[in-house]
PDB file of all heavy atoms in Angstrom:
ATOM      1  N   MET C 376      15.243  27.257  40.053  1.00  0.00           N
ATOM      2  CA  MET C 376      15.334  26.961  41.490  1.00  0.00           C
ATOM      3  C   MET C 376      14.434  27.856  42.325  1.00  0.00           C
ATOM      4  O   MET C 376      14.743  28.157  43.471  1.00  0.00           O
ATOM      5  CB  MET C 376      16.779  27.088  41.958  1.00  0.00           C
ATOM      6  CG  MET C 376      17.717  26.053  41.381  1.00  0.00           C
ATOM      7  SD  MET C 376      19.334  26.133  42.165  1.00  0.00           S
ATOM      8  CE  MET C 376      20.194  24.804  41.302  1.00  0.00           C
ATOM      9  N   GLY C 377      13.307  28.285  41.786  1.00  0.00           N
ATOM     10  CA  GLY C 377      12.324  28.981  42.594  1.00  0.00           C
ATOM     11  C   GLY C 377      12.402  30.485  42.512  1.00  0.00           C
ATOM     12  O   GLY C 377      13.479  31.064  42.384  1.00  0.00           O
ATOM     13  N   MET C 378      11.199  31.130  42.600  1.00  0.00           N
ATOM     14  CA  MET C 378      11.094  32.579  42.465  1.00  0.00           C
ATOM     15  C   MET C 378      10.096  33.130  43.479  1.00  0.00           C
ATOM     16  O   MET C 378       8.954  33.427  43.137  1.00  0.00           O
ATOM     17  CB  MET C 378      10.650  32.949  41.049  1.00  0.00           C
ATOM     18  CG  MET C 378      11.591  32.528  39.947  1.00  0.00           C
ATOM     19  SD  MET C 378      10.916  32.941  38.317  1.00  0.00           S
ATOM     20  CE  MET C 378      12.225  32.357  37.239  1.00  0.00           C
ATOM     21  N   PRO C 379      10.458  33.279  44.734  1.00  0.00           N
ATOM     22  CA  PRO C 379       9.532  33.846  45.714  1.00  0.00           C
ATOM     23  C   PRO C 379       9.156  35.283  45.370  1.00  0.00           C
ATOM     24  O   PRO C 379      10.009  36.084  45.001  1.00  0.00           O
ATOM     25  CB  PRO C 379      10.315  33.763  47.027  1.00  0.00           C
ATOM     26  CG  PRO C 379      11.751  33.634  46.629  1.00  0.00           C
ATOM     27  CD  PRO C 379      11.765  32.921  45.321  1.00  0.00           C
ATOM     28  N   GLY C 380       7.863  35.584  45.467  1.00  0.00           N
ATOM     29  CA  GLY C 380       7.384  36.922  45.139  1.00  0.00           C
ATOM     30  C   GLY C 380       7.250  37.193  43.672  1.00  0.00           C
ATOM     31  O   GLY C 380       7.139  38.352  43.261  1.00  0.00           O
ATOM     32  N   TYR C 381       7.212  36.158  42.863  1.00  0.00           N
ATOM     33  CA  TYR C 381       7.277  36.213  41.398  1.00  0.00           C
ATOM     34  C   TYR C 381       6.464  37.356  40.796  1.00  0.00           C
ATOM     35  O   TYR C 381       5.262  37.441  40.950  1.00  0.00           O
ATOM     36  CB  TYR C 381       6.778  34.875  40.859  1.00  0.00           C
ATOM     37  CG  TYR C 381       6.665  34.762  39.364  1.00  0.00           C
ATOM     38  CD1 TYR C 381       7.788  34.735  38.550  1.00  0.00           C
ATOM     39  CD2 TYR C 381       5.415  34.665  38.753  1.00  0.00           C
ATOM     40  CE1 TYR C 381       7.679  34.613  37.184  1.00  0.00           C
ATOM     41  CE2 TYR C 381       5.288  34.534  37.381  1.00  0.00           C
ATOM     42  CZ  TYR C 381       6.424  34.511  36.598  1.00  0.00           C
ATOM     43  OH  TYR C 381       6.297  34.387  35.241  1.00  0.00           O
ATOM     44  N   GLN C 382       7.155  38.288  40.160  1.00  0.00           N
ATOM     45  CA  GLN C 382       6.594  39.398  39.395  1.00  0.00           C
ATOM     46  C   GLN C 382       5.611  40.240  40.203  1.00  0.00           C
ATOM     47  O   GLN C 382       4.566  40.664  39.709  1.00  0.00           O
ATOM     48  CB  GLN C 382       5.962  38.872  38.092  1.00  0.00           C
ATOM     49  CG  GLN C 382       7.000  38.293  37.164  1.00  0.00           C
ATOM     50  CD  GLN C 382       6.466  37.814  35.827  1.00  0.00           C
ATOM     51  OE1 GLN C 382       5.255  37.746  35.617  1.00  0.00           O
ATOM     52  NE2 GLN C 382       7.357  37.472  34.915  1.00  0.00           N
ATOM     53  N   THR C 383       5.978  40.482  41.462  1.00  0.00           N
ATOM     54  CA  THR C 383       5.199  41.363  42.331  1.00  0.00           C
ATOM     55  C   THR C 383       6.155  42.274  43.084  1.00  0.00           C
ATOM     56  O   THR C 383       7.375  42.075  43.064  1.00  0.00           O
ATOM     57  CB  THR C 383       4.367  40.557  43.353  1.00  0.00           C
ATOM     58  OG1 THR C 383       5.248  40.035  44.368  1.00  0.00           O
ATOM     59  CG2 THR C 383       3.605  39.418  42.694  1.00  0.00           C
ATOM     60  N   PRO C 384       5.636  43.263  43.815  1.00  0.00           N
ATOM     61  CA  PRO C 384       6.514  44.100  44.644  1.00  0.00           C
ATOM     62  C   PRO C 384       7.222  43.328  45.746  1.00  0.00           C
ATOM     63  O   PRO C 384       8.194  43.835  46.323  1.00  0.00           O
ATOM     64  CB  PRO C 384       5.539  45.135  45.234  1.00  0.00           C
ATOM     65  CG  PRO C 384       4.426  45.215  44.241  1.00  0.00           C
ATOM     66  CD  PRO C 384       4.256  43.808  43.740  1.00  0.00           C
ATOM     67  N   ALA C 385       6.753  42.110  46.047  1.00  0.00           N
ATOM     68  CA  ALA C 385       7.369  41.298  47.101  1.00  0.00           C
ATOM     69  C   ALA C 385       8.577  40.499  46.620  1.00  0.00           C
ATOM     70  O   ALA C 385       9.172  39.748  47.394  1.00  0.00           O
ATOM     71  CB  ALA C 385       6.328  40.343  47.692  1.00  0.00           C
ATOM     72  N   GLU C 386       8.973  40.666  45.369  1.00  0.00           N
ATOM     73  CA  GLU C 386      10.118  39.920  44.819  1.00  0.00           C
ATOM     74  C   GLU C 386      11.409  40.680  45.113  1.00  0.00           C
ATOM     75  O   GLU C 386      12.053  41.225  44.230  1.00  0.00           O
ATOM     76  CB  GLU C 386       9.932  39.711  43.314  1.00  0.00           C
ATOM     77  CG  GLU C 386      10.868  38.688  42.718  1.00  0.00           C
ATOM     78  CD  GLU C 386      10.726  38.582  41.203  1.00  0.00           C
ATOM     79  OE1 GLU C 386       9.631  38.881  40.671  1.00  0.00           O
ATOM     80  OE2 GLU C 386      11.715  38.203  40.558  1.00  0.00           O
ATOM     81  N   THR C 387      11.792  40.686  46.366  1.00  0.00           N
ATOM     82  CA  THR C 387      12.868  41.533  46.865  1.00  0.00           C
ATOM     83  C   THR C 387      14.163  40.740  47.093  1.00  0.00           C
ATOM     84  O   THR C 387      14.139  39.518  47.258  1.00  0.00           O
ATOM     85  CB  THR C 387      12.428  42.194  48.177  1.00  0.00           C
ATOM     86  OG1 THR C 387      11.928  41.182  49.060  1.00  0.00           O
ATOM     87  CG2 THR C 387      11.324  43.222  47.923  1.00  0.00           C
TER      88      THR C 387
END
Side-chain angles (χ1 to χ4, degrees):
M376 293 188 179
M378 298 177 179
Y381 176 69
Q382 294 183 351
T383 74
E386 194 184 333
T387 51

